Amino acid sequence: MGRTATLAEQLASKQREISVAEFFERNRQILGFDNPQRALLTAVKESVDNALDACEEAGVLPDVSVEISKDESGPDRYRIVVSDNGPGILKRELPNVFGRLLYGSRFHAHRQSRGQQGIGISAAVLYAGLTTARPVKVTSRVEEEEAAHVLEILVDTQRNLPKVVSEALELWDRPHGTRVDLVLKAKYVRGRQSPLEYLRGTAIVNPHARLVLVEPDGTRITFERASSEVPPVSKEVLPHPYGLELGELNAILKQAKEKQLSEALPRRLAGVTPRALKEILAKAGLTGKEDPGTVHGPELESLLSALHSVTLLPPSAESLSPIGSVLIKRGLRNVLGELRPDFYAPPVSRPPKIRGGSPFLVEVGLVYGGSLPPDQPVQLLRFANRVPLLFQQGACAITAAVESVDWRRYGLDQRGGQGLPAGPCILLVHIASTRIPFTSESKEAVAEDPEILKELQLALQAVARHLKSHISRQIRREYASEKFTIIRRILPQIAEKSSHLVGKPVPDLTPVITEIMNVVTLETASPEKDTGLDVTITNYTPRARVLEVFAEMPSELAGQLAPVPPPDGVDVGLGRMWWTLPKLSPNGKTELRLRWPKGHDGDASDFDWYIAGVDESHLLGADALPGDWDVRLPRQVVEAAEAAELVGVVAPGTTEEPEVDYDGAEKAAELEEDD
Amino acid sequence: MAPKRPPSSKKTTDEPEARLDALAPTFELAAQIYAQLTKGEVPRMRLPLRTKQNIQFQLKEGVWRLGRSTGTRSARKLDGALMLLRTFYLVDFIHEMARDRKTSTLRELYYISEQWKDAKFHSEDESNLLIEDLEVLCTRLREDFRLHPEENGASVIGDLTIQETNRKGVVKKINCRDDVGDGGYALPFNVEKEKIKFNACGAKFVLAIECGGMVDRLAENGFDEDQDALLVHLKGQPARSTRRFLKRLNEELQLPVVVFTDGDPWSFRIFASVAYGAIKTAHISHYLATPGAEFLGVTASDIENYELPSDTLTEQDTKALHAMQSDPRFGTADWRSEIDLMLKNGKKAEQQSLAKYGLNYVTETYLPEKLGEMNVL
């Protein structure tokens, strides 16, 4: 008996507190410092995320530079210098921000931001200290001060407290900003999981930021900003009761300054209306007069279950900062433009939804074609709160959602209708939330939450539908260009050669051309120097047509444009213009000339074209009038269309019988050579 | 456009004077297209389909010929329009050669098409197919259009004396056993009477052999002399001239033709093209195929009976065998059971695997046994 007690005491004597910093020192992988290559990327990422968060909070257009260079003080050492034009950090905060883990301003805030836990940058400082024994050198200047403070800081791992090694004042030409200078054991690589890819992704989803990377070999890569709008600062909101856990509720009530529970609940939690309050208190069996700080035990539990069961106002989405479809497109174009994709799908930005008391929303963008490789798996760009996710793609809800869509239905290859699809395509997926359920602290992958998965699937399908219609338009265009090749190049030669052999003049090919084409086409071309748009409408049908052509365009353009011939009607408000074309005989064409007004550079993509007077199955390059346009067509258009249709009716039996296409028929597949 | 005259008579092919009107049908082609254009119709030609679904057995000739199913080559589709245009470029070229008294190899024609801009061929297969199409449309042979393959040189060894008019116009008498080297007599691409006449023949039957190695073995063992055999090397899938030559031996000299190949699906097809007619040339089977030709082996049962060293059938082999099950040429009970047996055993074997029992086994045991069964010896 005595022996056991002694052992227990011996064991007890070894028990002692482990500091957070010590814990992370031993478990580097949790924070993304498990190997030198990853450590470099994580340090860059944490510094840049902080810089962007700071700039946005201050409403400044971010200008962030990242310089990475080899440090000669030891083997495998690199120096990272990240500087920004943010508001700067007060001197008294600098030691804690950089030298203490779990210290931050955003952990308790219910709003979307890149960093949340207050671990990132101090973990980088910790890692730098561990591998090189060098402190971080931070230079920071706030606008009100004349000079910048320069501090060298280490993390005291045993106490999880900052240790300031030196401090000084320095003149800095920037009015405000922060510069972080770290030396750490690292390895620089290029490729998929590199600082360059991280910054490229960051540039896409932060088109308002200007990012510069200087690589160790001196290569300088600049991502210029594509938008000069600072995203609206996401608002801090109260925690919403849905998804709240017991401990959190307890903490909120303990900190409440209100005297009574009935006052504290509406002020400390979101969505609690007076009516809901009554219901909650009734369900929980409380009066409302209780001191918030004293509610505990069974009372607390019944209060929580009442909060979860009562219908409340949904959480506000003001705490979110979506990129928005306009800027997603602009960001993609800015960064991926050199790949010359031929299609940017209209990005989808879903309305906010609630998950576990926190609002979240999902955004998806897609580019297709151009010089993207046609037979590789699609490139998936994952983002959480505007931060690129470069690791653990396989473990992420975004990947799972992409894989769960049957992309074959939308025109991409996908083995068995599952897994990552293949095709010349890049997919951008962004999840924004006040609290993103990451699978680990290193924030590389989003957990597979059913609500999030569902939203992701809806957004992906919406974008995929755009892709599908693009691909079918493309097929139609290819079909058309095949027909044009036949009638413009091949048919005339067939006619010339056969006529020559029989010794007769070449016959008029119009009936054959209209028989092969049987469409009305609308083609646009830019005249020299892009001064406008030339629109050619050709009647490649066997019937004479009177057509009504509609152009839809931005309304300011509709107000200024003076086309030749002048339109027969303009509706500036709706941005519409229309013409009744002269009667076009088979193979006949006519042209509309548009010239940009002074100070306005238009573009063919500003216009949508619609044609009435011919069935939509015989239209190419324009669409039929949308059903909801309440348009009265001129009498001659209607009459000509009716006449063409009457002539178009073919007596039964005279239609061509379905024939086997000789050149498409299965050829003798046998390997019978025969020379 | 259906062929007007079914190419049933040998007139067009056997008599050189028939070639004089070779160009006439090409004018007809142009006239048809021209008529369609003036009527406002999309230009098109109708051609019999050269597929295994569209071959029919001709009782009279004992060979498989093209059936009645046709397809349309139409200018509505780019591929069709291009083939129509190529047809006229080809016709122009044929007229030009006739005027200049030139001939061209198939391969040269393929390169000639480099000058045809939009209409140039993408592969030699494409140009060869079009020439066959033109043969069908005009009921002529490609030689009538002054187009011929490269010299193929399939070789013949045995006691046959032929009289060949060589390229200098000199008539040479050649005995295919005594006047030739070890390589045998090499067949020219033209084996018609105007080029080759049969003078005398001591051989009692023809043994058509797939592989060169086996031809050499039989020659070295003196099989041609001992058994009065005429050895013809097929060189894999036999060229038109080889098949035509076999047919002439069979018809004019009444020599039985026996085919000796590897034991695998591809070799069965070699036999089919010799005896029944190939699908690709089904329009001229009556001119190329030897209906009396018989298959000696290696059969699927030979592999078992002679315990021959074998290989496992590959995926392609199995696929080919399955395709043959729906090929009407292999519809006989004998072929059905042969194919089923090969599929069941999953084995194939080469002719030369007989060497398992020594170099003389094939000439002393295998061939005498098999030829005995077939009543050839």
Side-chain angles (χ1 to χ4, degrees):
Chain A
M1 204 57 190
R3 256 180 76 97
T4 325
T6 318
L7 187 58
E9 263 167 41
Q10 276 177 358
L11 287 172
S13 72
K14 287 185 188 165
Q15 302 273 14
R16 63 183 178 86
E17 188 193 0
I18 304 159
S19 99
V20 190
E22 274 181 316
F23 174 77
F24 284 126
E25 182 184 337
R26 298 265 183 91
N27 297 281
R28 293 173 193 183
Q29 75 287 352
I30 297 176
L31 299 177
F33 290 92
D34 32 357
N35 62 55
Q37 175 188 331
R38 181 106 187 262
L40 180 81
L41 179 56
T42 305
V44 167
K45 178 169 137 59
E46 297 298 348
S47 318
V48 172
D49 289 353
N50 280 356
L52 292 176
D53 270 342
C55 289
E56 269 166 42
E57 276 168 44
V60 175
L61 283 172
D63 210 327
V64 179
S65 96
V66 179
E67 288 172 53
I68 302 171
S69 54
K70 195 98 183 65
D71 188 88
E72 301 304 338
S73 66
D76 308 325
R77 285 188 184 181
Y78 280 87
R79 182 166 176 216
I80 304 172
V81 179
V82 177
S83 59
D84 66 53
N85 60 340
I89 303 169
L90 289 174
K91 188 205 161 198
R92 62 164 193 274
E93 288 292 338
L94 284 172
N96 280 331
V97 168
F98 289 92
R100 188 172 177 184
L101 274 70
L102 297 174
Y103 185 91
S105 56
R106 302 184 198 104
F107 184 69
H108 300 284
H110 281 256
R111 52 184 286 259
Q112 175 190 335
S113 59
R114 294 175 180 78
Q116 277 171 346
Q117 290 91 335
I119 294 178
I121 192 63
S122 42
V125 175
L126 170 68
Y127 173 84
L130 285 172
T131 53
T132 66
R134 298 260 291 262
V136 62
K137 183 176 167 193
V138 186
T139 308
S140 192
R141 180 175 169 192
V142 293
E143 198 157 19
E144 308 80 58
E145 293 184 9
E146 296 294 314
H149 292 279
V150 184
L151 271 70
E152 289 190 300
I153 304 162
L154 276 171
V155 180
D156 175 346
T157 49
Q158 280 180 17
R159 296 187 300 150
N160 184 24
L161 281 176
K163 195 158 106 190
V164 176
V165 180
S166 76
E167 56 177 281
L169 276 171
E170 203 174 82
L171 284 175
W172 202 20
D173 52 4
R174 291 200 178 190
H176 52 82
T178 303
R179 180 176 183 275
V180 181
D181 183 342
L182 274 169
V183 176
L184 65 167
K185 183 176 173 188
K187 189 175 163 203
Y188 190 83
V189 292
R190 287 186 177 148
R192 290 194 64 170
Q193 294 169 336
S194 62
L196 176 58
E197 281 315 299
Y198 164 75
L199 285 179
R200 190 193 305 280
T202 304
I204 293 173
V205 291
N206 297 279
H208 63 291
R210 180 177 182 274
L211 305 175
V212 177
L213 171 68
V214 181
E215 295 187 288
D217 65 359
T219 311
R220 186 185 182 88
I221 298 133
T222 306
F223 296 101
E224 292 294 347
R225 64 178 118 258
S227 157
S228 51
E229 293 163 44
V230 188
V233 180
S234 58
K235 291 215 176 87
E236 195 170 332
V237 294
L238 295 171
H240 197 278
Y242 290 168
L244 207 60
E245 287 178 25
L246 205 59
E248 292 171 88
L249 179 61
N250 190 35
I252 289 166
L253 294 180
K254 289 279 176 309
Q255 284 162 17
K257 294 189 181 79
E258 291 78 9
K259 295 252 157 50
Q260 293 190 352
L261 192 61
S262 59
E263 285 169 14
L265 288 177
R267 283 194 205 155
R268 299 287 158 185
L269 293 173
V272 182
T273 58
R275 235 183 82 187
L277 177 65
K278 271 189 199 160
E279 224 182 304
I280 292 163
L281 292 172
K283 274 204 173 175
L286 297 165
T287 61
K289 302 245 187 297
E290 296 84 354
D291 176 353
T294 63
V295 180
H296 66 281
E299 279 182 345
L300 191 68
E301 297 218 22
S302 54
L303 176 59
L304 185 70
S305 79
L307 281 167
H308 284 174
S309 60
V310 168
T311 311
L312 302 169
L313 285 179
S316 156
E318 287 181 320
S319 53
L320 297 181
S321 166
I323 309 165
S325 56
V326 173
L327 289 182
I328 289 177
K329 194 167 171 179
R330 206 177 285 176
L332 286 169
R333 206 185 280 276
N334 188 35
V335 177
L336 303 175
E338 65 204 33
L339 297 169
R340 305 206 160 276
D342 44 43
F343 180 59
Y344 291 83
V348 169
S349 196
R350 297 273 310 162
K353 288 275 158 29
I354 312 304
R355 184 203 63 87
S358 307
F360 74 96
L361 65 78
V362 161
E363 298 178 295
V364 175
L366 180 152
V367 298
Y368 181 86
S371 47
L372 290 167
D375 44 6
Q376 297 288 311
V378 301
Q379 206 180 323
L380 177 57
L381 305 176
R382 297 173 296 134
F383 299 90
N385 286 349
R386 295 183 183 235
V387 177
L389 306 180
L390 298 184
F391 293 90
Q392 297 189 24
Q393 175 162 309
C396 185
I398 293 175
T399 314
V402 170
E403 291 177 346
S404 72
V405 172
D406 185 351
W407 290 94
R408 295 173 305 180
R409 287 169 49 197
Y410 303 107
L412 293 180
D413 288 336
Q414 191 181 30
R415 204 174 272 186
Q418 277 179 2
L420 218 50
C425 183
I426 297 177
L427 259 176
L428 173 153
V429 182
H430 178 223
I431 301 178
S433 176
T434 54
R435 205 197 281 162
I436 288 180
F438 287 110
T439 55
S440 81
E441 283 316 307
S442 59
K443 299 196 276 186
E444 303 296 0
V446 179
E448 291 187 25
D449 176 273
E451 308 278 333
I452 292 183
L453 276 176
K454 192 176 143 210
E455 279 298 302
L456 283 168
Q457 280 162 349
L458 289 172
L460 286 165
Q461 282 160 355
V463 162
R465 279 193 289 275
H466 288 299
L467 174 65
K468 187 186 175 187
S469 70
H470 167 74
I471 292 175
S472 64
R473 267 202 309 275
Q474 201 177 32
I475 291 169
R476 229 172 124 60
R477 261 202 305 277
E478 276 161 19
Y479 174 79
S481 91
E482 183 180 318
K483 295 275 182 190
F484 278 126
T485 309
I486 294 174
I487 62 154
R488 286 176 184 164
R489 298 177 62 167
I490 312 299
L491 184 68
Q493 293 185 68
I494 293 176
E496 193 239 273
K497 290 200 163 285
S498 59
S499 306
H500 182 74
L501 278 165
V502 298
K504 290 180 183 164
V506 177
D508 173 23
L509 295 177
T510 302
V512 183
I513 288 172
T514 55
E515 182 68 32
I516 290 175
M517 297 292 287
N518 202 12
V519 284
V520 167
T521 62
L522 184 146
E523 296 161 278
T524 59
S526 303
E528 259 183 75
K529 292 178 194 159
D530 279 340
T531 51
L533 202 63
D534 291 341
V535 184
T536 309
I537 298 106
T538 314
N539 175 20
Y540 287 116
T541 73
R543 320 275 166 241
R545 308 258 171 197
V546 180
L547 302 168
E548 185 88 343
V549 176
F550 293 81
E552 200 174 33
M553 64 198 88
S555 107
E556 65 269 22
L557 197 55
Q560 296 175 58
L561 216 53
V564 179
D568 295 294
V570 182
D571 185 328
V572 176
L574 288 170
R576 275 182 212 162
M577 212 171 260
W578 57 93
W579 293 260
T580 307
L581 302 183
K583 186 170 187 170
L584 290 176
S585 50
N587 216 5
K589 63 173 76 174
T590 190
E591 201 181 62
L592 307 173
R593 290 154 59 89
L594 316 182
R595 291 296 172 268
W596 309 137
K598 275 208 171 63
H600 191 295
D601 269 351
D603 172 332
S605 68
D606 287 337
F607 294 83
D608 287 318
W609 295 95
Y610 304 92
I611 293 183
V614 59
D615 187 77
E616 76 173 304
S617 60
H618 295 294
L619 266 178
L620 210 63
D623 291 319
L625 284 193
D628 56 350
W629 285 21
D630 198 15
V631 174
R632 253 187 103 105
L633 294 173
R635 217 184 53 203
Q636 65 265 44
V637 175
V638 179
E639 282 173 0
E642 281 168 0
E645 242 173 74
L646 281 178
V647 183
V649 175
V650 184
T654 58
T655 46
E656 282 186 51
E657 75 250 46
E659 288 175 323
V660 181
D661 176 11
Y662 182 78
D663 295 292
E666 188 202 359
K667 284 280 147 58
E670 300 181 43
L671 297 173
E672 287 182 304
E673 282 165 46
D674 178 49
D675 40 347
Chain B
M1 204 188 74
K4 287 259 166 56
R5 266 183 300 167
S8 56
S9 83
K10 285 180 196 160
K11 237 187 230 164
T12 53
T13 57
D14 287 358
E15 295 162 24
E17 56 268 31
R19 297 190 179 177
L20 294 175
D21 79 335
L23 302 187
T26 62
F27 288 108
E28 261 176 62
L29 282 184
Q32 285 193 28
I33 296 294
Y34 186 83
Q36 290 164 357
L37 288 172
T38 50
K39 276 189 276 178
E41 293 171 5
V42 179
R44 68 197 178 280
M45 288 178 187
R46 187 167 282 184
L47 289 136
L49 294 172
R50 279 182 281 142
T51 61
K52 80 176 172 201
Q53 289 81 12
N54 189 37
I55 50 172
Q56 284 177 355
F57 188 71
Q58 306 291 315
L59 260 185
K60 210 176 90 197
E61 291 142 346
V63 296
W64 292 83
R65 297 270 304 273
L66 283 181
R68 289 170 193 278
S69 305
T70 58
T72 301
R73 168 168 284 163
S74 157
R76 246 177 232 289
K77 293 244 173 88
L78 185 56
D79 286 346
L82 278 172
M83 284 312 254
L84 289 177
L85 179 56
R86 284 180 186 130
T87 306
F88 286 117
Y89 268 106
L90 177 58
V91 165
D92 278 354
F93 178 61
I94 289 166
H95 287 203
E96 195 184 305
M97 285 195 295
R99 197 189 60 215
D100 301 345
R101 302 186 169 277
K102 292 262 194 256
T103 64
S104 147
T105 66
L106 301 181
R107 194 150 186 82
E108 281 172 329
L109 168 69
Y110 168 63
Y111 286 118
I112 284 283
S113 86
E114 286 286 326
Q115 307 165 11
W116 298 357
K117 287 168 273 184
D118 291 332
K120 100 180 210 197
F121 293 114
H122 300 112
S123 68
E124 202 183 334
D125 277 349
E126 212 171 40
S127 68
N128 290 348
L129 277 172
L130 185 67
I131 294 164
E132 285 158 13
D133 290 342
L134 200 65
E135 287 185 305
V136 176
L137 287 166
C138 299
T139 58
R140 293 292 183 276
L141 284 182
R142 59 191 181 193
E143 285 78 10
D144 301 331
F145 300 131
R146 320 181 75 88
L147 292 162
H148 59 83
E150 288 161 36
E151 294 293 349
N152 170 280
S155 55
V156 181
I157 296 177
D159 185 12
L160 168 73
T161 308
I162 57 127
Q163 202 174 296
E164 180 184 331
T165 310
N166 76 6
R167 64 198 171 283
K168 291 174 181 158
V170 181
V171 179
K172 292 262 181 187
K173 235 186 206 177
I174 304 164
N175 182 282
C176 299
R177 185 183 61 200
D178 303 332
D179 303 337
V180 297
D182 292 348
Y185 168 71
L187 285 179
F189 69 81
N190 180 3
V191 294
E192 296 305 326
K193 279 181 192 153
E194 83 251 19
K195 175 82 177 165
I196 288 179
K197 287 197 175 68
F198 299 138
N199 204 270
C201 179
K204 299 279 185 317
F205 72 101
V206 180
L207 189 60
I209 299 159
E210 179 178 357
C211 310
M214 184 53 75
V215 177
D216 293 346
R217 167 60 38 226
L218 299 197
E220 189 181 301
N221 290 6
F223 187 78
D224 55 322
E225 297 194 40
D226 296 348
Q227 306 286 359
D228 293 326
L230 186 63
L231 310 180
V232 176
H233 181 198
L234 295 173
K235 281 195 160 179
Q237 265 296 345
R240 280 189 187 187
S241 60
T242 311
R243 286 184 275 155
R244 175 68 181 154
F245 183 70
L246 289 172
K247 186 176 178 68
R248 284 192 60 200
L249 290 173
N250 178 254
E251 285 188 349
E252 293 170 32
L253 302 176
Q254 275 81 46
L255 293 181
V257 173
V258 175
V259 178
F260 179 25
T261 65
D262 288 341
D264 65 39
W266 316 101
S267 303
F268 296 170
R269 289 179 181 189
I270 289 176
F271 170 72
S273 82
V274 169
Y276 309 143
I279 293 168
K280 226 160 85 73
T281 52
H283 57 297
I284 44 174
S285 289
H286 56 292
Y287 165 81
L288 294 176
T290 310
E294 285 193 74
F295 186 62
L296 177 137
V298 174
T299 62
S301 27
D302 285 346
I303 299 176
E304 302 306 309
N305 297 342
Y306 291 90
E307 294 176 12
L308 296 178
S310 61
D311 289 315
T312 314
L313 292 178
T314 64
E315 203 177 308
Q316 281 96 329
D317 293 333
T318 312
K319 235 165 123 181
L321 285 168
H322 284 304
M324 285 159 67
Q325 289 176 322
S326 61
D327 185 330
R329 297 175 301 167
F330 292 99
T332 60
D334 287 354
W335 273 120
R336 285 276 157 97
S337 62
E338 185 64 20
I339 291 166
D340 290 345
L341 185 65
M342 184 166 277
L343 279 169
K344 187 179 136 242
N345 295 341
K347 284 191 272 186
K348 59 177 179 181
E350 292 188 356
Q351 301 183 290
Q352 297 185 61
S353 66
L354 288 159
K356 171 186 178 186
Y357 302 109
L359 297 177
N360 295 333
Y361 186 77
V362 64
T363 45
E364 283 172 6
T365 310
Y366 179 77
L367 286 175
E369 277 181 21
K370 297 286 291 190
L371 290 165
E373 281 168 30
M374 296 163 83
N375 289 323
V376 175
L377 280 188

